[in-house]
Structures are given as C-alpha cells and as structure tokens.
Amino acid sequence: MKTVFYRTETKKVDALKTDGAFMLGCAVHDGVIEPALNFGTGRGWNVPQTVKVAACVDEIGKFMIFDDEHGVHISTDGVNYSKMDTFEADDAFFAQERNGDEAFAYLICADKVLIRAADYFSGAGKPVPVKCGVMRYGRLFGADRTDELLLRWSGEDGVQDWKESISGAGWAYMSADLGKILDVVDLNEKLVVVREHGITVLNALGVPENFKFSGEYRTPAISPNTAKVLNGKVIFSTDDGFYRFDGNKAEKLDCPNYDGMQNVTQSAVAGGRYYAALGYCKQLEKTAIFIYDARFSCGYFIDFAPQYLLGGNGKFFGYLNAATHVSEKTSSFKYVSGEMDFGTSDRKVLKRVKVRGSVDKITVICDGKERVFLSPKCELPTHICGRSFKIAVEGASKIEGIEAYAEVKSGN
Amino acid sequence: MEIDVIEITEQELNRLSAVQMQLLRSAQKSKNKLRITLKEEFALHKKMFYANGMKNSSLVNAKYTELDEAYCRDVGEIVEQLEYGLNLNTPMPDDGTADETTGYIVDYTLPYTDRYRLVRDYYLTINDPSQRLSLYSADATAKRYLGSYYSTLYDVLVAYGS
C-alpha cells in the first residue's frame, strides 16, 4: 500500500485576533493581554444582608444603602457601614443635588423623603409622584409612578414641591413609539429619558415653558437599571449588546469578541473608565459581571455575581451575603481564543504555540478535546493533530502576543 | 358695540349720561383689546409648545391659566376704574340726600350741545314744573356752564311747564 505524503507548509495565526475569543479578568487591546479587574474577598462590617438600592452620593462624599428591612445605612468608604435610620417604604430611589454650599442626598419613596445632608438626616412626609429620576437645577425629573409614559418635574423647591403651575411642577406625555420610561439620567446639558426601545432627549434649561423634546433615537430593547453615564455618554444594555448615546446619536458599543449577556439586571460605572453590567454569561453558564473598559474599547468578564453592584470612588463594590467585595487588579486571568482552522477544514498539525510573556497554564482545545500544559515554556511544542483549535492561557502578568503555528497541506 | 365689561341692563344703559357712556365705551374697548391680546399670546405659546414637543403637557393649560389670570387682573383694574368714573359722574338725586353743588355732570370739556342735554335731562326729572323752573333760575352753575344755551333751556323748561 502506498503512503501519500502531501506537501505541507507552516501557517501562523495570531491567537489574539480570532473571532469568538473569551476574556476572563483580562483586557485584550493593541495586540496584548493585560490583567484587568477582579473582585476581592468579602469584607466590611455592618454590611446589610440584602441591598434594595444603593448609591455613591458624590455630593456628600458618602455611600448609602437602603436594605430589604427598611434600614438606611451609611458609609464613607463603601465597605463598612453604620445603620442611621429606618425608612418604611417598599420601593425607593436615591437622588442627590448641590444647592449652593450645601449638598443633599435624598431617599425617595411614594409618600415621603429622607433627606441627608453632610451631618444630619431629616424627613419630609409629602408624596412624591415619581418612581425614579434625577435632580437638575433644583428640580426632580422622573418617571410617574403609575403612568409609564408620563414624565414629571417638580417645582423649583425640589423633591417636595409638586404644586403645578407654569413655573412650578409639571408633566409631559411621551409618545408611545419608544415604549415606557425606564429611567432619567443627566447628560451634560440635557436630560436623557431612557425608554424601552430608545432614548428621548429633553432640553430642560431655564423655566418649564422653555423645555423642549429635542430628539428621539430608536435602539433595540433596553434593559431596565442599566443606563449609566460614563465620560459624557450614556451606556446601556440592550437585547443586541451594549449601546452608547452621546447626546446626538445612539450607536452600538464597539466591543470585540463580546458574545452578549442575557438578562442584564444592573450596571455601574467607576473611575471614569469602566462600565460594569451584571447578567447571565453564556460562556460561563452563570450570572457574572461584564466590564467594558472605555479607555481601550474592550471588554471582559469577571466570574462573580454580587447581589448588588455599585460604583464609586474609582472602584466597584459588590455586596453579597453581608460582605463587600471591592474591585482590584486581578491576580489571575484566563484568555480563550476563538476557533483557529488555519484557513482549511482539512486535518492539520498544530506544531507549536508561542507566547510572549509568562503564563501558568496553556490549554489546547482540539476538536472539542483538551490538552493541558502546566508551567509551559514561551515556545511550546504541541504536535496536536486536528481540524480546529482553541488556545486558552491562564496567567497573572501581561502577555504581548500568542501565535499558533500549524502544518497544513500546501495549496490551502 | 357689545357691552360686557360690567353687567348693565338696557334700561340702565339708556339712563347713562354722555360722559358715563364715553367712560363705558372706553373701558369696553380696553377690555376687548386685552381679550384679543390674550388669544394671540395663548395661540403663540401653544404653537411654541407644539414645536417643542410639549403638546401633551401641563404647560399648555398652565400657560393659559397664567395668561388668563393676568387678563382678569387687568380687566379688574379697568372695571374698578370704570366704576369709580361712573360713580363720580352720576347725576345727584334731588331727594335732598346728596351734595347740592350740582345735580348733573359739570364737564367743561364737553361740547355745549352735550352740556345742554345733561342739564335739561336733569331738570326734567323734577316733576313739579314751578319748582323746576325756580331751581333752574337759581342755578348759577348752569348759567356759567351753558353759556348762551342757558336762556334757550329756560324757554324749553317754561314750555314744558305750561
């Protein structure tokens, strides 16, 4: 029987430029893999067991938590808390404002407001007809509690002033096209009304009779509680991935190799650089956090699922089981390349993998089977035969490139 | 001209003197002007709200309320001024309870024919012809006020008396 020896040639693939790669705790940009964020061990004292809503109130330099048992807790570092008050409400949200030299945080529910200034709490018992919103020039703008298309604004006296008049409180109906109001965020000189299927922009400068809806932008369906402002843009999660709105246009976030999350329920921003979203990760098959790094326009996952995610003071805080997990630089990461077939569906031999940096483990996945190499050399001979390959590396320090070399039949 | 600046019956209207009528018409004109301005301003604001996407907002009614309140305030001032003026120019009753300096409007800006009519109308309200004539003869104000018409009216009152 004759044995046929085909002519072969060596082909190289840059494993950092493959489609469908998965990054866990590392950011891939400009041809390098860098260790990125992770969440540290849980710590902190008097952290509530379950967080209903939390906020980093920049204006008064404090973190505040409203828990499931109507407790209001305050912290200066986001880690350790003290219980300050009780607030009998099923549903509430935080708002904040600066009024001259004084700054205030408000915890607002349907029939009362808890007001926190730098050094004291006080309460007010007037009904507030909005269920979420933002303060702007002394007025609270928000979504009506019962009518999903109704936007309300308070009078100039703030969260307790709902007397309607031409210069006082008022309301406006949105068109039904973009669906119900999910949230209202302050973006530079505009108010962005985040809705089920897009964005409506309200110019709200001066007196109410000068208010103007200045644009509507349709997007895929938006997940509630995911719109956050990062570097002068609103980022939010949709059925089609993450989108960004800069005041003039809404566009999909350029995030290479992002394969989408499902059921994104929360988001947070930190450090003027990161947007984090908590949702179901298909690759990990569990709830996890996706981090978008605006500096490098790249993203990665973190295998951690807090009960509540908060951003502030340049960090993320994940609250889980009465402990605070703070974001920090990761001590280990994992990068899994996309499928590499070297341009042919024929069988080929993966000859070697070259890694420019130090790694703890390289795993070669060939046609669904894995082979693990521990403490590998930078140039790892592999000699694995198959049709397609993935390379996974785990490490703790920067990698400046991963190349895979295979012998394929000539002419392919 | 339709009069709605104040509530006044046809009869009361007919009993008004020339000066009072003038005051009334002037007030009505002012009110009409305010009403037109109210409509125009509201129409303008309504267009603005529509252009700003605020068609279905509280601003439309709130603005109308604001404009309407200003309109009512201005009309109130006009009415108050009118009522004051009408009162000032009401001919005095001759039942002895009023100021007796004059029982008719003395307004030297009026033409003589109007003055003549005012004084004539006043004296014709006095039923007793002789009392009427004697009062007129003693009325030094009427002599000055009517000028050469004084004697003409005297003749008329005599004719009514006989």
Side-chain angles (χ1 to χ4, degrees):
Chain A
M1 191 170 96
K2 256 184 175 175
T3 301
V4 179
F5 291 92
Y6 293 100
R7 273 182 186 271
T8 61
E9 57 178 334
T10 301
K11 282 198 171 173
K12 178 180 90 173
V13 166
D14 184 345
L16 297 191
K17 289 186 180 169
T18 50
D19 290 335
F22 176 70
M23 283 74 75
L24 193 65
C26 61
V28 177
H29 63 90
D30 303 318
V32 303
I33 302 177
E34 270 190 319
L37 293 181
N38 201 348
F39 279 81
T41 325
R43 55 192 172 99
W45 33 264
N46 292 336
V47 182
Q49 183 67 33
T50 45
V51 175
K52 208 176 188 70
V53 66
C56 173
V57 188
D58 307 306
E59 295 293 352
I60 60 169
K62 303 257 195 283
F63 293 78
M64 292 178 73
I65 284 178
F66 176 55
D67 68 23
D68 267 358
E69 290 171 12
H70 305 150
V72 180
H73 309 258
I74 201 155
S75 164
T76 52
D77 58 8
V79 176
N80 307 297
Y81 280 83
S82 305
K83 185 171 177 183
M84 297 305 293
D85 209 337
T86 310
F87 190 69
E88 293 293 332
D90 292 326
D91 206 8
F93 68 97
F94 283 103
Q96 54 182 298
E97 70 168 343
R98 176 160 290 279
N99 194 347
D101 289 336
E102 275 216 272
F104 298 95
Y106 304 102
L107 181 59
I108 301 167
C109 74
D111 56 2
K112 52 183 174 292
V113 178
L114 186 69
I115 303 166
R116 168 77 200 196
D119 300 312
Y120 65 87
F121 273 101
S122 69
K126 289 191 185 171
V128 178
V130 299
K131 62 181 178 190
C132 63
V134 68
M135 296 295 298
R136 185 183 169 80
Y137 296 134
R139 295 181 195 265
L140 177 62
F141 290 80
D144 184 73
R145 283 187 183 277
T146 50
D147 194 323
E148 295 173 334
L149 293 177
L150 191 62
L151 179 75
R152 286 190 178 274
W153 57 85
S154 73
E156 289 168 312
D157 288 338
V159 298
Q160 302 168 72
D161 178 8
W162 295 96
K163 187 164 189 290
E164 289 186 16
S165 71
I166 190 64
S167 57
W171 48 264
Y173 266 104
M174 313 255 109
S175 65
D177 300 349
L178 298 189
K180 67 182 181 187
I181 300 171
L182 300 177
D183 205 353
V184 183
V185 297
D186 192 350
L187 180 69
N188 308 324
E189 292 298 308
K190 300 178 186 181
L191 279 173
V192 171
V193 184
V194 181
R195 302 171 63 187
E196 268 184 311
H197 300 286
I199 300 276
T200 302
V201 177
L202 175 68
N203 286 339
L205 290 174
V207 293
E209 62 184 278
N210 291 336
F211 288 176
K212 177 179 173 175
F213 287 117
S214 61
E216 286 199 337
Y217 306 83
R218 185 168 278 276
T219 66
I222 298 176
S223 308
N225 298 322
T226 63
K228 293 288 186 294
V229 177
L230 180 67
N231 293 342
K233 299 179 181 69
V234 183
I235 299 181
F236 47 94
S237 171
T238 76
D239 284 357
D240 183 37
F242 295 105
Y243 271 66
R244 172 173 55 202
F245 178 70
D246 65 0
N248 295 308
K249 62 182 184 301
E251 56 187 1
K252 190 165 175 178
L253 214 54
D254 175 28
C255 202
N257 293 316
Y258 170 72
D259 194 24
M261 292 176 96
Q262 293 166 344
N263 300 328
V264 177
T265 55
Q266 295 179 46
S267 70
V269 290
R273 178 176 168 181
Y274 301 107
Y275 172 86
L278 180 69
Y280 182 80
C281 171
K282 287 184 276 192
Q283 289 92 333
L284 292 172
E285 294 179 346
K286 55 162 120 165
T287 301
I289 292 174
F290 178 79
I291 300 279
Y292 172 71
D293 183 335
R295 181 186 294 177
F296 297 122
S297 295
C298 65
Y300 51 91
F301 287 91
I302 297 177
D303 187 2
F304 174 56
Q307 184 259 318
Y308 198 92
L309 182 63
L310 179 64
N313 278 2
K315 300 181 195 135
F316 290 111
F317 300 84
Y319 299 102
L320 182 65
N321 297 331
T324 310
H325 300 253
V326 184
S327 63
E328 58 189 23
K329 192 152 179 195
T330 190
S331 56
S332 71
F333 62 80
K334 183 175 182 180
Y335 172 81
V336 183
S337 75
E339 294 276 357
M340 297 177 286
D341 66 4
F342 295 87
T344 168
S345 56
D346 292 340
R347 288 177 71 80
K348 72 266 320 174
V349 179
L350 180 71
K351 297 290 281 185
R352 66 183 186 282
V353 173
K354 200 166 161 184
V355 176
R356 287 204 201 87
S358 164
V359 295
D360 300 327
K361 185 161 111 177
I362 295 177
T363 305
V364 177
I365 303 133
C366 168
D367 298 340
K369 293 184 192 144
E370 290 186 5
R371 194 184 298 184
V372 177
F373 300 84
L374 292 173
S375 303
K377 293 178 201 167
C378 296
E379 191 143 350
L380 173 73
T382 46
H383 304 293
I384 300 172
C385 187
R387 294 188 196 277
S388 82
F389 306 88
K390 278 188 186 182
I391 294 170
V393 298
E394 291 175 45
S397 39
K398 189 172 172 177
I399 296 171
E400 296 195 355
I402 303 178
E403 287 154 3
Y405 296 84
E407 257 183 35
V408 304
K409 249 197 274 188
S410 277
N412 286 312
Chain B
M1 179 185 263
E2 191 190 319
I3 302 292
D4 65 0
V5 61
I6 51 171
E7 283 198 21
I8 187 165
T9 63
E10 194 73 36
Q11 279 177 325
E12 287 167 335
L13 204 61
N14 290 335
R15 279 207 294 273
L16 289 180
S17 65
V19 170
Q20 286 174 318
M21 199 58 181
Q22 199 166 347
L23 288 171
L24 181 64
R25 288 175 66 86
S26 178
Q28 185 62 51
K29 247 168 70 178
S30 298
K31 183 183 176 183
N32 291 348
K33 205 170 164 185
L34 282 176
R35 190 157 37 209
I36 290 168
T37 305
L38 167 68
K39 279 189 183 155
E40 284 172 354
E41 275 198 44
F42 179 62
L44 184 64
H45 277 94
K46 201 170 164 187
K47 276 185 198 160
M48 191 181 81
F49 292 142
Y50 273 53
N52 288 346
M54 288 289 173
K55 176 170 77 166
N56 296 319
S57 74
S58 60
L59 297 173
V60 180
N61 276 349
K63 189 64 184 178
Y64 184 80
T65 303
E66 185 196 47
L67 292 173
D68 190 54
E69 280 171 2
Y71 163 79
C72 290
R73 265 196 312 274
D74 293 341
V75 166
E77 277 174 27
I78 290 170
V79 167
E80 196 261 343
Q81 195 65 21
L82 172 64
E83 283 171 351
Y84 176 76
L86 288 176
N87 234 13
L88 209 58
N89 288 286
T90 304
M92 299 301 166
D94 57 354
D95 59 1
T97 59
D99 185 357
E100 288 181 47
T101 54
T102 176
Y104 48 82
I105 294 164
V106 177
D107 183 355
Y108 283 90
T109 65
L110 291 174
Y112 277 101
T113 47
D114 284 338
R115 298 184 205 183
Y116 170 88
R117 254 196 303 276
L118 281 169
V119 178
R120 181 200 64 188
D121 291 344
Y122 168 68
Y123 276 101
L124 285 178
T125 63
I126 302 170
N127 291 329
D128 185 349
S130 58
Q131 188 189 20
R132 185 198 301 153
L133 212 51
S134 83
L135 280 174
Y136 184 70
S137 301
D139 191 346
T141 303
K143 277 186 186 139
R144 286 193 303 277
Y145 189 48
L146 293 176
S148 57
Y149 281 77
Y150 178 84
S151 56
T152 308
L153 183 56
Y154 184 88
D155 293 338
V156 168
L157 292 177
V158 165
Y160 267 96
S162 53

